[in-house]
Amino acid sequence: MMKSVLIANRGEIACRVIRTARRMGIRTVAVYSDADADALHVRMADEAVHIGPAPTRESYLVGDKIIAAAKQTGAEAIHPGYGFLSENAQFAQAVMDAGLIWVGPLPKSITAMGLKDAAKKLMDDAGVPVTPGYMGGNQEPDHLKLEADKIGYPVLIKAVAGGGGKGMRLVEQADEFLDALASCKREAAASFGNDHVLIEKYILSPRHIEVQVFGDSHGNVVHLFERDCSLQRRHQKVVEEAPAPGMDEATRAELCAAAVRAAKAVDYQGAGTIEFIADGSEGLRADRIWFMEMNTRLQVEHPVTEEITGVDLVEWQLRVASGEPLPKRQEELSINGWAMEVRLYAEDPTKGFLPSIGRLDVFDYPDHLVRVDTGVEEGAEISPHYDPMIAKLIVHAATREEAIADLRYALDAGECGPLITNAGFLYRVLGDEQFAAGTVDTGLIGRKLEALTTRPEPSVEGLQLAAAELIGGGQGPWASTSGIRLNAPSKRQMRLADQFGRDFNVELGEPSDGPALRQIVLNEGGERLILKPWRAIGGADGGVSSGSILAPMPGRVIAVEVAAGDNVTKGQKLLTLEAMKMEHTLTAPFDGVVQELNCAAGDQVQVEALLVKIDAE
């Protein structure tokens, strides 16, 4: 068994690997950028090495710096986590050439599965069913459109080197294809250094089902059953669960056997995931499930598999990398109960899921009920340089119904702020009737996006409790008396406002015994509202839309779609901002005329910079 390991990653996954390594008595080494000097993973590790400035291309993506840090600290092995260099075959080979242990699959396996077009042909040859599509080398836009026309719309354009939802576009009509292709290629080139794409038939009732596989250097390969990751937004997973709802034993056996064949076809070692797309229009059937791609690393959602099998997948990774055989045979693995995971992000669903950066002053979830995998703690800064995930919340229960109830309770009872998070959105998603019934597909969130992202008004009971605390002993200055009637008591009312510019009239009950407060936090349904007496803040803004389009975060303008003097309509695309490794489209809030345009393609802009000013018609 190795004695020391360097984790070539940051945040939640770095902390996750450190916890298991520490339990196994393995010394850990962290690496960090300027932005992560005070990060939790740095403080948790036995030793830490600075590797450069905040941008990933100057720190976490520089393989030479990471290998040098391993040699400097005497680390025997490098664990890549997920993302960054985890599926980079050249880096894996460089680690091995340096005489270090690579905690991952062989470079040849990464290469075989790294390009989606080549991987599909390999799987087809191995007898693993694949989806219809075009995987050829001709990348001319007109030729790709011709192939898409032949396949029939809707189609998916996918970067052959893509992953994590990046470099992927759904095209529903022929006249949308070329614009989507250009955007996809641009994002793929920026994210992966490779703009080649493939085209797939888009399944109309698609479910995303994946199988966890594990191989060792002794020729053994097992599966650890399936996960369902169908609930997605823009091809990024929102809820992950195991096992898959509606999966019968016969279909499971065929699916998992295909996954094992896929892993054996590339001499797979370590943790990997075979991803399938299923047509769920007639339930789950083996003849309607096709290979999509393989992730040659540990997945973000691996905890749900750990919870139903009782296996620590990171421990298995470290043991297999050290040359040990798999700790369990296939017949020793079984499914126990139901597990479910959501990803808590610092982002605002009501504003197109734009990241919310800043200090995390409060972070408290009921850890007796929910497993919290995180790379931050109270007082941490959510940086604009990296993915804004705060934590993964995972529950394990006897049944799916109990798992949903426990996870909703955790989102309701937990508190995270003052950053805006997606907790309320997750709470509403888990409460959706279709999701509760298990009749989900990858388009569910998209179809219900407006309802799921609309912030509900707080309950009457919640507002009354907040008002009672704000008044405090009936002596606060914010209560008013109105509605006087003969032979009846007067009504006492209070007007409250929240941080989003909404105001509420509340009929008062009994005040609290404590002192009057200037503000109070109400946590309800995953939403965190800061309530104040309306008079105390001079009234609310009424939520009137502003025609000032401000940069929601630091970033680079990559496309401008309008000019000064143009007439625009509500929802029309104004410009595209690249920030936090994603493209963000800014749109017109109402019909009007562009009075000011203060940016051009290629400009670097700071947060809250005025980009466009629109006057209403």
Side-chain angles (χ1 to χ4, degrees), residues 53-67:
T56 57
R57 64 182 179 275
E58 300 177 49
S59 51
Y60 295 107
L61 289 176
V62 184
D64 289 345
K65 289 184 177 181
I66 291 168
I67 292 172

Side-chain angles (χ1 to χ4, degrees), residues 337-349:
W338 211 283
M340 198 168 286
E341 172 184 301
V342 293
R343 307 181 191 188
L344 183 69
Y345 276 94
E347 62 185 13
D348 188 350

Side-chain angles (χ1 to χ4, degrees), residues 40 110 127 180 195 237 264 278 280 322 329 342 353 381 401 404 406 457 537 549 552 579 616:
L40 182 59
I110 299 175
D195 72 348
K237 298 163 188 174
K264 287 183 175 180
S322 297
R329 299 185 301 274
V342 293
F353 295 88
E381 290 284 333
E401 293 72 21
I404 292 173
D406 287 350
E457 290 199 354
I537 59 172
I549 310 302

Side-chain angles (χ1 to χ4, degrees), residues 204-233:
L204 291 175
S205 297
R207 288 181 61 180
H208 180 124
I209 297 176
E210 58 191 37
V211 177
Q212 178 73 60
V213 293
F214 224 109
D216 63 22
S217 58
H218 304 276
N220 303 306
V221 178
V222 299
H223 68 79
L224 291 96
F225 310 102
E226 82 279 359
R227 298 185 287 257
D228 192 313
C229 306
S230 298
L231 219 58
Q232 301 180 7
R233 185 190 68 84

